[in-house]
Amino acid sequence: MSATGTTGLPAVSRAEYCVVACAEAWRDAGEVLASPMGTVPAIGARLAKLTFSPDLLLTDGEALLMADTPAVGERPNSVEGWLPFRRHLTLTATGRRHVMMGAAQLDRHGNQNISCVGDWSRPTRQLLGVRGAPVNTLNNPTSYWVPKHSTRVFVEHVDMVSGVGHDRAAAAGPSATRYHRLPGVITNLGVFDFETPDRVMRLRSLHPGVSFEQVTAATGFGLSVPDEVPFTREPTEAELRLIREVIDPKGLREREVPA
């Protein structure tokens, strides 16, 4: 296995590569609702809207559709619509939303756990609960953001299935697979997808400065690896300006993904 690509601009931080990778998840998405969960995904969604996905819909995190694109943590200056929870669920159920969720655990087939760690009947740690993960994964595109790639997150088998992976969707039949789509996983080490014949996690790109050995050591299962693995693409000068001066002038991205 070898990596291809350039090392990138010295001034580009790991967090900024992660922002660009998250933004790419919404490239040419059209008029769909972006639901980023996490600081870096929120910056990425804003970057996508301000560049290659101008029709992307963004909310203020509560119940308003934003007409402008404020900095992360700031209120919008212009609002274009009201999106109460019931309407948000309608978008989810009809596939007009692309959510980027977090994960306490992910396995090779894309099954996600955000509910508990340990045996379900007597867990060692209680987490968020299943929440809307099953509906998300079976009805609209669901990507994942993991700010700290480790064997604690990427496990052979999740302790409880919250978000549905490819193997479980296939076992459930056409009603589960019809709209099931997991476009990718972005972490602080690289970008991954499930574009393999058996729908297992594949290494799609390494962030500059990350080695293949680092990724495999931090993953609790065998990854599918193509012969040539590129580096995550460079941000353009215009994208860097937007990230640093418009979207995240306070540098919150560097707190989620430290240098």
Side-chain angles (χ1 to χ4, degrees):
M1 195 284 299
S2 62
T4 60
T6 60
T7 57
L9 299 172
V12 180
S13 70
R14 180 73 59 79
E16 288 164 343
Y17 281 112
C18 292
V19 167
V20 168
C22 287
E24 286 290 343
W26 287 287
R27 178 176 284 276
D28 301 326
E31 193 174 346
V32 302
L33 179 66
S35 292
M37 299 181 185
T39 300
V40 166
I43 299 168
R46 284 165 168 76
L47 180 62
K49 182 173 177 63
L50 290 172
T51 54
F52 43 71
S53 295
D55 295 328
L56 202 63
L57 302 178
L58 298 175
T59 76
D60 65 346
E62 295 180 10
L64 299 177
L65 282 172
M66 302 188 298
D68 60 355
T69 309
V72 171
E74 300 295 328
R75 304 292 295 178
N77 292 315
S78 180
V79 173
E80 66 178 355
W82 169 243
L83 191 70
F85 194 58
R86 63 183 180 276
R87 293 184 182 176
H88 196 132
L89 287 178
T90 299
L91 291 176
T92 301
T94 55
R96 292 175 291 170
R97 173 180 180 249
H98 184 163
V99 60
M100 187 172 288
M101 300 182 70
Q105 293 177 329
L106 273 173
D107 69 19
R108 69 175 71 244
H109 295 284
N111 293 293
Q112 171 232 36
N113 176 23
I114 53 172
S115 185
C116 64
V117 176
D119 186 83
W120 182 84
S121 62
R122 197 175 183 85
T124 58
R125 182 167 297 180
Q126 178 66 51
L127 305 174
L128 292 173
V130 172
R131 311 285 289 195
V135 175
N136 289 344
T137 49
L138 295 183
N139 289 279
N140 58 217
T142 301
S143 297
Y144 292 110
W145 160 242
V146 178
K148 190 173 182 180
H149 191 130
S150 73
T151 54
R152 293 181 63 181
V153 177
F154 292 91
V155 296
E156 189 69 40
H157 301 288
V158 297
D159 292 336
M160 179 176 177
V161 176
S162 303
V164 180
H166 287 287
D167 57 340
R168 288 180 175 268
S175 63
T177 58
R178 185 177 182 185
Y179 300 113
H180 182 261
R181 185 181 170 217
L182 306 179
V185 179
I186 298 97
T187 81
N188 63 317
L189 299 183
V191 181
F192 308 81
D193 61 27
F194 300 92
E195 300 303 317
T196 61
D198 49 357
R199 308 296 276 174
V200 297
M201 192 177 293
R202 178 184 71 163
L203 177 59
R204 190 164 78 198
S205 72
L206 293 168
H207 299 325
V210 177
S211 70
F212 172 69
E213 290 73 21
Q214 281 179 276
V215 172
T216 55
T219 306
F221 52 80
L223 287 164
S224 176
V225 182
D227 293 335
E228 297 290 329
V229 179
F231 287 118
T232 302
R233 78 164 178 87
E234 300 283 345
T236 66
E237 290 186 14
E239 288 171 335
L240 279 177
R241 183 189 65 80
L242 287 171
I243 293 169
R244 296 172 178 177
E245 300 176 14
V246 178
I247 304 171
D248 184 30
K250 296 179 180 179
L252 299 177
R253 62 195 179 278
E254 305 297 339
R255 300 182 192 178
E256 192 165 48
V257 184

